[in-house]
Amino acid sequence: MLFKDLDLIAPILKNLEAQWYEKPTPIQEKSIPVILDGKDILGCAQTGTGKTGAFAIPTIQILSIKKELSNRSNEIKALILTPTRELALQIDESFSDYGKNTGLSHFAIFGGIKQHSQVRKLQKWVDVLIATPGRLIDLIQQGYISLKHIEMLILDEADNMLNMGFINDIKKILKTIPQNRQTLFFSATMPKEILALANTILNNPTHVEVAPVSSTAEKIKQEIYHVGTGWKPGLLTYIIQDKEIKSLLVFSRTKHWADKIVRHLEKDGITAAAIHGNKSQNARVRALNNFKSGEVKVLVATDIAARGIDIDALSFMINYDLPNESETYVHRIGRTGRAGKSGLAMSFCNQEEYAYLLDIQKLISKKIPVVSDHPFEITIDTNNVTRPKQGGGNRRKTFMNKRPNNGNKSRDIRRNKNKRPKRDS
């Protein structure tokens, strides 16, 4: 099926053609006709499946057609709720790409910056409002936003909003929105809490499910590197140099570690930037833009901040720390191999994290190949599998203390009695 087979209006088809989009993804193919038909939808799709386009394209078409038939202006017709500022900006960018020459105005609001500029924009004409729950409630309570004319409500990354504690905020927002509306509900997973919320806000929804969270894209090659905690920095530099990587996304479990990884890479002459919740909005946007442009080779991100990172040509990613939630692993590696392209997802695993690896392999029903020909390899004691406390045990003490000297790896790595490291050729 092609986009032209989905009964889309000419301006949208032209915009899709300008973005080199010809065929809809499975979630788009299943969702767009349902939404254009005016029905509520309950969609389950993992990251990287084209979910944003699945709701943005039909929303633009519905509202642009209604706009031609109505003289109402300066009224918010569609509200899109999303958990993070990065994802809000990504959705806003998608509306710019798909909605050119349709006469619709869209705007994203989020916390982390002063509200003055956002308030000024809201006083003008906005058809589609993209918002994080906290900032939206603040501006509603101050009288800057009215949602009484909402015709379409979209909840994106609903499971992540639940995990971040936004459930009560969402319930408050729902009370300010008309009951007579079309609601689109998208989530990567469907735990009981999410289904309970969906049942309270959806009206006889059509269920659409594509690529459940337990699956990983076939074109993403996955690898595991067994490595001691203190040797992870050296292994990271080694991989970047050995594979001549030009662009790499690295996931860190905490903000503190993200900053330390950046400092290590910069000492080794590798340009890097961190993106996490402690960074200002301007710093996060600048880091992401520099990464996309190639000015920065490595972007180190925490899971929360990484929501909304959408880079089509990203071929490499590394889990510096294995996540303690298996579903998070699937979301992380989905940042590469997007839109059917190939990618390589590498993960570091120490003795403490081996239990997480077993959980991940159980979820994805696949044993991830282990790379053994690297100079930082350790032997995992598979008979001694324990689950570390969340937060990483004593990693803070060992991060830089045992980092192998890049100029003489063999001297430092001899501490690993299981195997003498290979010298660089």
Side-chain angles (χ1 to χ4, degrees):
M1 176 178 285
L2 304 177
F3 275 114
K4 64 181 181 181
D5 299 321
L6 292 177
D7 197 27
L8 298 174
I9 59 178
I12 293 179
L13 288 175
K14 185 176 181 181
N15 293 333
L16 290 169
E17 183 179 353
Q19 297 292 321
W20 300 95
Y21 295 148
E22 183 178 353
K23 296 181 179 180
T25 65
I27 188 66
Q28 293 168 353
E29 182 178 334
K30 292 183 177 182
S31 300
I32 290 175
V34 174
I35 298 171
L36 289 178
D37 200 30
K39 298 178 181 178
D40 286 7
I41 195 168
L42 177 60
C44 183
Q46 69 182 60
T47 183
T49 57
K51 179 162 48 66
T52 301
F55 64 76
I57 292 170
T59 297
I60 292 169
Q61 174 150 321
I62 291 171
L63 294 183
S64 62
I65 291 175
K66 286 185 177 181
K67 193 175 184 65
E68 292 180 357
L69 303 176
S70 174
N71 293 322
R72 291 189 302 170
S73 61
N74 199 28
E75 295 175 354
I76 301 172
K77 313 296 193 312
L79 172 65
I80 302 172
L81 291 176
T82 190
T84 69
R85 63 188 85 177
E86 282 75 26
L87 193 52
L89 289 170
Q90 177 195 316
I91 295 171
D92 189 55
E93 183 178 346
S94 294
F95 269 82
S96 295
D97 292 338
Y98 305 142
K100 291 178 182 177
N101 302 316
T102 59
L104 290 182
S105 172
H106 52 88
F107 185 56
I109 62 170
F110 38 80
I113 62 173
K114 294 182 179 180
Q115 69 177 42
H116 178 66
S117 60
Q118 296 180 350
V119 169
R120 285 198 306 170
K121 178 69 176 181
L122 289 168
Q123 291 172 344
K124 300 179 181 179
W125 157 42
V126 175
D127 293 306
V128 180
L129 181 64
I130 305 136
T132 54
R135 176 53 58 93
L136 177 61
I137 288 179
D138 286 344
L139 296 182
I140 290 175
Q141 291 176 342
Q142 295 177 56
Y144 292 118
I145 293 178
S146 171
L147 301 178
K148 63 182 180 180
H149 298 292
I150 291 293
E151 300 172 5
M152 298 185 72
L153 170 66
I154 299 105
L155 277 78
D156 189 27
E157 301 275 3
D159 53 348
N160 198 29
M161 284 196 280
L162 179 67
N163 292 337
M164 295 174 66
F166 286 136
I167 186 67
N168 290 330
D169 288 343
I170 293 173
K171 291 178 179 179
K172 290 179 182 178
I173 293 167
L174 290 173
K175 293 179 180 179
T176 69
I177 300 175
Q179 292 291 324
N180 185 22
R181 64 174 188 268
Q182 183 179 9
T183 304
L184 317 178
F185 192 106
F186 287 91
S187 182
T189 60
M190 287 292 170
K192 293 180 180 179
E193 297 88 347
I194 288 296
L195 287 174
L197 175 63
N199 289 334
T200 64
I201 66 176
L202 295 172
N203 179 25
N204 191 25
T206 298
H207 292 246
V208 176
E209 183 171 354
V210 176
V213 73
S214 60
S215 66
T216 54
E218 293 182 1
K219 292 191 176 182
I220 301 177
K221 182 181 179 182
Q222 302 173 62
E223 296 178 344
I224 290 292
Y225 288 76
H226 291 319
V227 57
T229 301
W231 297 347
K232 286 185 178 183
L235 177 58
L236 180 59
T237 297
Y238 170 82
I239 290 175
I240 294 170
Q241 295 174 343
D242 183 63
K243 295 183 180 296
E244 298 181 349
I245 294 176
K246 304 299 181 184
S247 182
L248 173 69
L249 176 62
V250 176
F251 279 98
S252 167
R253 183 175 293 119
T254 68
K255 295 172 282 189
H256 174 77
W257 287 97
D259 290 333
K260 279 202 167 186
I261 293 167
V262 168
R263 290 197 292 270
H264 159 76
L265 291 173
E266 289 177 340
K267 287 181 180 178
D268 285 348
I270 299 170
T271 55
I275 179 170
H276 55 66
N278 283 357
K279 298 286 185 180
S280 68
Q281 175 59 23
N282 289 337
R284 292 164 76 165
V285 172
R286 183 169 59 252
L288 186 55
N289 289 340
N290 288 343
F291 182 60
K292 288 182 176 181
S293 69
E295 185 176 341
V296 167
K297 179 179 290 190
V298 181
L299 184 67
V300 186
T302 56
D303 290 306
I304 296 301
R307 296 282 181 161
I309 295 178
D310 188 5
I311 304 168
D312 290 338
L314 185 63
S315 300
F316 299 95
M317 66 79 56
I318 288 179
N319 287 306
Y320 190 90
D321 302 298
L322 275 181
N324 57 354
E325 294 182 358
S326 304
E327 291 83 0
T328 300
Y329 173 85
V330 178
H331 290 307
R332 285 183 178 185
I333 72 170
R335 293 295 138 188
T336 185
R338 299 177 77 83
K341 297 180 181 179
S342 60
L344 174 59
M346 298 163 278
S347 299
F348 296 172
C349 177
N350 61 24
Q351 180 67 52
E352 288 182 329
E353 294 168 317
Y354 187 69
Y356 300 156
L357 175 60
L358 296 179
D359 291 341
I360 289 167
Q361 292 180 148
K362 182 178 179 181
L363 176 70
I364 65 177
S365 300
K366 180 188 298 183
K367 187 172 182 179
I368 306 172
V370 175
V371 177
S372 58
D373 58 344
H374 67 87
F376 296 82
E377 185 186 10
I378 66 169
T379 298
I380 297 292
D381 182 359
T382 58
N383 295 318
N384 183 24
V385 180
T386 58
R387 298 185 179 278
K389 296 178 181 179
Q390 188 171 353
N394 63 352
R395 287 192 182 102
R396 291 179 183 272
K397 298 179 181 178
T398 60
F399 180 88
M400 300 302 290
N401 295 337
K402 296 183 180 180
R403 180 167 67 91
N405 186 307
N406 288 333
N408 188 0
K409 292 187 178 72
S410 60
R411 180 191 64 197
D412 290 326
I413 301 170
R414 288 195 186 105
R415 298 175 187 175
N416 175 14
K417 298 178 182 179
N418 296 315
K419 184 173 180 179
R420 183 180 295 274
K422 302 176 181 68
R423 289 184 180 272
D424 291 338
S425 57

